[in-house]
Structures are given as C-alpha cells and as structure tokens.
Amino acid sequence: MRNRRTRWYRSLALRLLFIFWALLSVTAASGYLLAVWNKPKAELKPLEPDIYQTLQPLLSDALTFQSLQPGRLIAGDYRVAAQLSVEGSEKLLMDEMLRVSHGSTLLRMLGQSSPQQIPLDERLLMGPFELDGNKILVTKPLGIDEQVNREQLERESTRARLLTLLVGSGLLAVLLGIWLIRPIRRMILAMREVADGSATPELKRLPKRGDEIGELARALSQGAVDLATSRDAQRRLLSDVSHELRSPMARMQVALDLADCNEDDPNWQQLSRDTERLSVIIERILSLSRLENGLVELNHENLDSGELVQQLIGDMCYQSSEVSGRLVQQDGDWPVIDTDPELFRLVLENIVRNALHYTDDKVELSYDDYGKGCRIRIRDHGPGVDESTLDKLFEPFYRGDPARHHKAGVGLGLALSHRAAAVLGGELKASNHSEGGLEVVLDLPKSQPEPNT
C-alpha cells in the first residue's frame, strides 16, 4: 500500500479548528436570533375605558389641548409623549428619550384612528387623543400588576431561549462527537481483530479518507498485513528449526549411547553433558516460541491439583532420590480446576526444579482456595532474591545471582512457566517470603474459557 501523506488542506486538525469555530459562531448567532425572535412583543390594545374617562375631560378644551407640549405633566402621573399639530412651524413634537428608543412606535400610534394603548419598557403609551385635527400621545407608569405580568413574560421568554439554545448546541455537539468517535471506534475494533490474528481488519471506508484518520487507517491496514506475514514466517521458521535441530541432536545422543567409550572418560562425560544440555535448551526455546505464537491448544480437563502435585513429587523423587526429603506437600482438599494438565504440570515442574537448583533446603507446595480461583504456592527456604531482580526472574535467559547456588540452569524455566501460566488464563508472581526464602505464586481460575476458533 502506497504511503500517502495528508495534505494540509485535508488536515483533521484544521477541520476541527474550523468546526469548533463554526460551532461557536452558530451558537452565538443562534443566541442572538433567538433573543430577537423570542423577545416579548408589545401589542396594541384598545384603550381601557377608565383611562379614557379620566383623560377625556382634561383634553376637551381647545386652548388646553394646544398648549400641551411633550414632557408636560397633565394630571397625576399622566405625561405628554408626542404632539401632532395641523398648524405651526413644528407640526410633530416628541419626547426626546421616547423618540430615540421608540420613535417608530410613536409614529404608528399617531396614525391610529381610535385611542389605543401599548406598554413601552416601564411605561404605558396611550393615544391618540384628537381635537380639531390635533393629536397627542400620553404615557403613564405601569401599574404593579402590569409590571409583574411583564416580568413573568420576560422570564418565560428567557427560559425558552435558553432551552432552545441548549438543545441546539447539544445536538450540534452530539453530531460532532459521532463524526469524531465513529472512526476511532472502528479502528479500536480493527486493532482487536489484528490482535486476534486477522490480516485484513474491517476498516470500511476509513483508508480512503484524506486526513490523519485515513492515514492512520492505512498504516493500521499495512501493519496488520506485515504482522501476519511476520507471524507466518516465524511459525514456518519454528517448524523448520524444530525439525532441523531435533533430528541431529537425537542422532548425536544415540551415537553417544552406542559409542564404545569408557564411561569414566572425562571427555566422554563432558560431551554427554553438553549434548544433553543443548537438547534441553533447544526444547525449551521451541516450547517458549510455541507458547508466544499461540501454537499451543488447550486440552481442558477437570484436574485434581493435589493429585497432580503428588504425582509430580513422586516422579521427581524417582528421578533423583536425594530430593525425596526436601519436597513437602500441604495436606488438605486441593481444589479441582478445569485446565490443561500438561501445561499445568509444566508450570509447576519448572518452578519446583528451579527451587531445588537454587537451594539445598526443603521446598513447600501449598494452596489457597478463594472461590472462583486458586493459588498454588511454591516456597523454598533459601536466601531469597534481591528485590531489584524479582521482576527479571521471568525474563528469558535471565539467571539468578550465581552466589545463591552454582547449579543454575539456562534461564528459560521460569520464563516458560510465566508464558504457560498466561496461556492458562492465570498469572505467575514471585516475592520474598516474610520468613525467608523465595515464594512463587501461581494464580489460576478454576474454569478456563474455551479458546477462540
């Protein structure tokens, strides 16, 4: 697959900056438009009769009517807001403050054929009152009930604006989140497919995108192919090495057994030990590779762990009688677990042999049963391990401090046990016991999930 770089104008970062800018702009514009759209609109209503009856006697005299100027107090709280005369040099006069804020409303009111009323801020505008062709508009402060109704209307309008703004911005945020999260979620699923061994993870149309997500999807697709190719090549190499190394080693062992040599000859003894040691190294390397490449298939059985431990101790004592008094098994009803007997024994045998190699004291095998799982403990009574090296015990070819004992192996036993424990769905840990010695704990579930096919 060709390595296509993302062009700057297709950059996801640039798109996100633009989207966030657009989102903020749309949110701000929506707030402004909603504020204008939902702003309480004052409506013209016919003048209330009691107000008309109060003002009509005061405005029935022609001289008084013509003398009224904008801003003049008529009676009580009633004040002139605007005047339209049929004669004179200034036919239209308005209160300066009302002219600036509500000039269009004053003109609309003056054009009405009958007296109307409309709220303006905290005042009530009334009119036109007409006499001999002259017109005036009058204002008075809003009453307490009118102010309460107006404030309630404004609060309801504000809540409606806020709710609309929140719903709109929330919808945009959800759409943006879906646009961003869907490809990331798709690649997470693809990575899981790659981890399960797939060479062609399902990426849908992501590799065709021209931004960084598309570039990442193409890299993931190519990486899956390369990983599958490497895995297949490693498995073929493992198979070839397994055949090519085991056959000559077996022939060498047979040739040594048939050779007409004196068994007391130091050269023959050295050659025999080296051949056996090399055979063990090859076998453990191949076993470790099979575990790491997932070539081991589990054979589930309901296994009595105590019985297997007893058989293991018996076999090891038969092979080497000097360890018969050093291996101690805890009494009690050992748990029955659903596991692979061969891998389970491999884990325990490597740990026990490691303990026997590094110490000359007894090695204790015990268990803890905690419901869904169990812990098998192997503890020696040696000098323990330096805390700084505990994490290295399960690394391939790591060998402990030679000062502990001279019979150290090749450094693959614990690494092999660690990989096998992981295949069984468990965990292997090592720590220094509070009373001395090294304790290795195998934590296993009592039931094993079926392997993926």
Side-chain angles (χ1 to χ4, degrees):
M1 184 177 294
R2 185 167 59 91
N3 185 15
R4 188 168 73 250
R5 300 298 299 273
T6 302
R7 299 183 181 274
W8 69 270
Y9 55 84
R10 291 184 175 180
S11 172
L12 181 63
L14 188 63
R15 291 184 180 185
L16 289 177
L17 287 176
F18 175 77
I19 289 174
F20 287 133
W21 172 80
L23 180 61
L24 291 175
S25 299
V26 169
T27 303
S30 300
Y32 174 76
L33 293 176
L34 289 172
V36 174
W37 176 49
N38 289 325
K39 184 177 181 180
K41 297 180 180 179
E43 297 180 357
L44 290 173
K45 296 181 180 179
L47 187 63
E48 296 179 1
D50 56 343
I51 297 178
Y52 183 80
Q53 293 174 2
T54 300
L55 293 176
Q56 185 59 30
L58 301 175
L59 302 177
S60 59
D61 182 71
L63 293 177
T64 303
F65 195 95
Q66 293 178 0
S67 65
L68 296 176
Q69 298 292 325
R72 181 177 175 178
L73 192 64
I74 302 176
D77 294 328
Y78 294 93
R79 191 179 298 273
V80 178
Q83 180 187 41
L84 179 63
S85 303
V86 294
E87 297 179 353
S89 57
E90 296 184 12
K91 294 185 178 181
L92 177 61
L93 298 174
M94 295 183 182
D95 182 272
E96 188 63 25
M97 294 184 62
L98 291 177
R99 184 185 66 81
V100 174
S101 57
H102 301 287
S104 60
T105 304
L106 295 176
L107 292 175
R108 184 158 61 102
M109 288 286 288
L110 289 170
Q112 299 299 314
S113 58
S114 60
Q116 305 286 321
Q117 66 181 39
I118 185 173
L120 297 179
D121 297 333
E122 297 181 356
R123 303 186 68 83
L124 182 66
L125 179 65
M126 300 160 288
F129 299 97
E130 185 175 357
L131 183 64
D132 298 334
N134 299 315
K135 297 181 179 180
I136 64 169
L137 300 178
V138 180
T139 64
K140 79 175 186 70
L142 291 174
I144 296 178
D145 294 340
E146 294 171 328
Q147 291 182 9
V148 170
N149 293 335
R150 186 176 180 84
E151 290 175 358
Q152 182 178 1
L153 182 61
E154 289 180 351
R155 285 195 297 269
E156 293 176 355
S157 177
T158 300
R159 285 195 294 268
R161 289 197 300 268
L162 289 176
L163 180 60
T164 306
L165 188 59
L166 289 174
V167 171
S169 59
L171 180 61
L172 289 176
V174 169
L175 294 177
L176 178 60
I178 293 175
W179 182 75
L180 288 174
I181 296 302
R182 285 186 63 186
I184 296 177
R185 180 63 179 170
R186 181 66 263 168
M187 283 189 287
I188 291 175
L189 297 177
M191 282 297 298
R192 292 175 179 172
E193 294 177 14
V194 173
D196 291 336
S198 174
T200 56
E202 180 59 44
L203 291 169
K204 296 186 177 180
R205 298 182 58 85
L206 292 183
K208 297 182 179 180
R209 293 180 54 155
D211 55 12
E212 289 85 351
I213 291 181
E215 187 175 352
L216 178 59
R218 291 189 292 272
L220 176 59
S221 179
Q222 184 62 45
V225 174
D226 295 342
L227 184 60
T229 303
S230 175
R231 183 168 51 245
D232 293 340
Q234 189 174 9
R235 289 177 177 177
R236 288 194 300 269
L237 176 62
L238 178 61
S239 177
D240 295 341
V241 169
S242 175
H243 178 268
E244 295 299 329
L245 289 181
R246 282 179 173 176
S247 297
M249 288 304 304
R251 290 193 296 270
M252 289 174 62
Q253 190 66 46
V254 172
L256 282 173
D257 293 339
L258 296 177
D260 187 12
C261 297
N262 185 0
E263 294 185 359
D264 295 332
D265 185 357
N267 295 325
W268 185 89
Q269 293 177 355
Q270 182 65 43
L271 182 59
S272 179
R273 287 194 300 268
D274 290 343
T275 302
E276 183 178 358
R277 182 181 178 86
L278 185 57
S279 178
V280 171
I281 292 174
I282 292 173
E283 181 63 32
R284 290 192 174 181
I285 290 177
L286 294 176
S287 298
L288 186 60
S289 298
R290 285 194 297 269
L291 288 175
E292 290 179 336
N293 286 277
L295 300 179
V296 177
E297 295 184 0
L298 297 180
N299 181 24
H300 295 279
E301 292 184 13
N302 287 327
L303 177 68
D304 187 335
S305 59
E307 181 178 345
L308 187 141
V309 169
Q310 186 176 2
Q311 292 176 357
L312 174 62
I313 293 177
D315 293 342
M316 297 185 74
C317 291
Y318 178 80
Q319 295 174 6
S320 180
S321 59
E322 63 268 15
V323 303
S324 59
R326 297 174 56 194
L327 294 176
V328 179
Q329 179 182 5
Q330 175 186 343
D331 295 332
D333 295 329
W334 285 63
V336 176
I337 56 178
D338 178 18
T339 188
D340 186 290
E342 294 300 326
L343 278 185
F344 181 67
R345 173 169 175 140
L346 180 146
V347 174
L348 295 182
E349 184 172 353
N350 284 329
I351 299 173
V352 171
R353 289 189 183 277
N354 184 78
L356 292 174
H357 284 164
Y358 278 97
T359 66
D360 294 324
D361 296 319
K362 66 178 180 179
V363 177
E364 299 177 347
L365 290 90
S366 59
Y367 70 92
D368 291 330
D369 193 338
Y370 59 93
K372 293 184 178 180
C374 64
R375 295 186 180 94
I376 311 297
R377 302 178 182 273
I378 300 95
R379 177 201 170 193
D380 62 44
H381 288 260
V385 176
D386 188 88
E387 294 290 339
S388 61
T389 62
L390 281 175
D391 295 336
K392 299 179 181 179
L393 292 179
F394 302 113
E395 295 180 1
F397 300 105
Y398 176 79
R399 300 174 64 182
D401 186 359
R404 288 188 64 196
H405 205 276
H406 65 281
K407 296 185 292 183
V410 298
L412 286 173
L414 290 182
L416 185 60
S417 296
H418 189 267
R419 302 296 193 279
V423 173
L424 293 175
E427 187 178 13
L428 200 61
K429 294 182 178 180
S431 62
N432 289 312
H433 197 273
S434 59
E435 298 179 0
L438 180 68
E439 182 179 60
V440 180
V441 179
L442 173 61
D443 195 339
L444 279 179
K446 288 186 177 179
S447 60
Q448 297 290 331
E450 292 293 335
N452 294 330
T453 56

